[in-house]
Amino acid sequence: MSGPPAWAYEKPHVTAPDPAWPARGAELCARLAVVLKPWLVDGVEHVGSTSVPGLAAKPVVDVMASVSDIDVVVISAGAALAADGWAYVPPSLDVASPWRRFFVLPDATGEHRVAHLHVLPAGHPRWHAQRTFRDALRADPALAAEYAALKHRLTTETTDREAYTAGKTAFVTRVLTHHGVILPTE
């Protein structure tokens, strides 16, 4: 029996902005829109730091899909996603985010994550929140610079991905609240 994949324990690290990230995000969105077409409601969008031009980020492209039923997508599209290289992370391992179904696209070595797919139920508040946060960073270079500084600091303080993510929560909440978005506690 083999253990968890190496990418499951990859330490967070932030890199300089890569001008290829937007094209990579667009490519992934287009491919996923084809695979997920029967269930898509609001489409597939590139979100996260790699979707903000000029923003330092973990070199992992985050995309999200709004679908009619997240569990049906796992059952019905899981094989097609796996054939395209996506690894499903079951809810039992994604306990912090029960509102989504999550897939990781590792690199050819299986050592590093290159993309995440967040499958959300249509109408879920996280869809609007992710887009609002991305758009706020795109519109405000000073805010994006503040976020980059926070992310760099966090990578010096922790090697745990969950702790790194948790360390960004107050900043994300502040930005969303400023834009009128309040996420439910889940």
Side-chain angles (χ1 to χ4, degrees):
M1 180 174 144
S2 64
W7 55 258
Y9 297 104
E10 184 176 9
K11 295 177 172 90
H13 67 284
V14 175
T15 65
D18 184 338
W21 287 337
R24 180 71 174 138
E27 173 194 338
L28 286 170
C29 288
R31 283 179 23 207
L32 289 164
V34 171
V35 173
L36 302 175
K37 184 178 180 178
W39 308 279
L40 283 179
V41 176
D42 293 313
V44 184
E45 294 206 23
H46 183 193
V47 293
S49 295
T50 61
S51 70
V52 180
L55 181 60
K58 293 190 315 290
V60 179
V61 175
D62 283 281
V63 295
M64 66 176 182
S66 167
V67 301
S68 54
D69 187 311
I70 59 177
D71 292 315
V72 168
V73 165
V74 171
I75 293 164
S76 301
L81 289 167
D84 202 26
W86 292 94
Y88 178 56
V89 179
S92 61
L93 298 177
D94 188 29
V95 295
S97 305
W99 40 268
R100 71 173 180 192
R101 294 300 172 261
F102 187 58
F103 293 82
V104 171
L105 183 63
D107 67 4
T109 69
E111 298 281 321
H112 307 286
R113 301 164 186 237
V114 295
H116 293 154
L117 169 59
H118 310 262
V119 180
L120 283 75
H124 195 281
R126 294 279 177 169
W127 176 266
H128 177 63
Q130 289 275 16
R131 295 175 72 215
T132 298
F133 186 72
R134 174 199 64 198
D135 295 347
L137 294 176
R138 285 178 174 174
D140 187 341
L143 186 66
E146 181 184 351
Y147 190 48
L150 170 64
K151 294 188 307 170
H152 281 293
R153 181 177 58 79
L154 289 170
T155 61
T156 66
E157 294 174 356
T158 185
T159 59
D160 178 76
R161 292 183 78 83
E162 298 301 325
Y164 169 83
T165 300
K168 299 184 299 181
T169 301
F171 180 89
V172 172
T173 301
R174 177 172 55 90
V175 171
L176 291 175
T177 301
H178 177 76
H179 287 85
V181 177
I182 308 296
L183 287 174
T185 55
E186 298 163 310

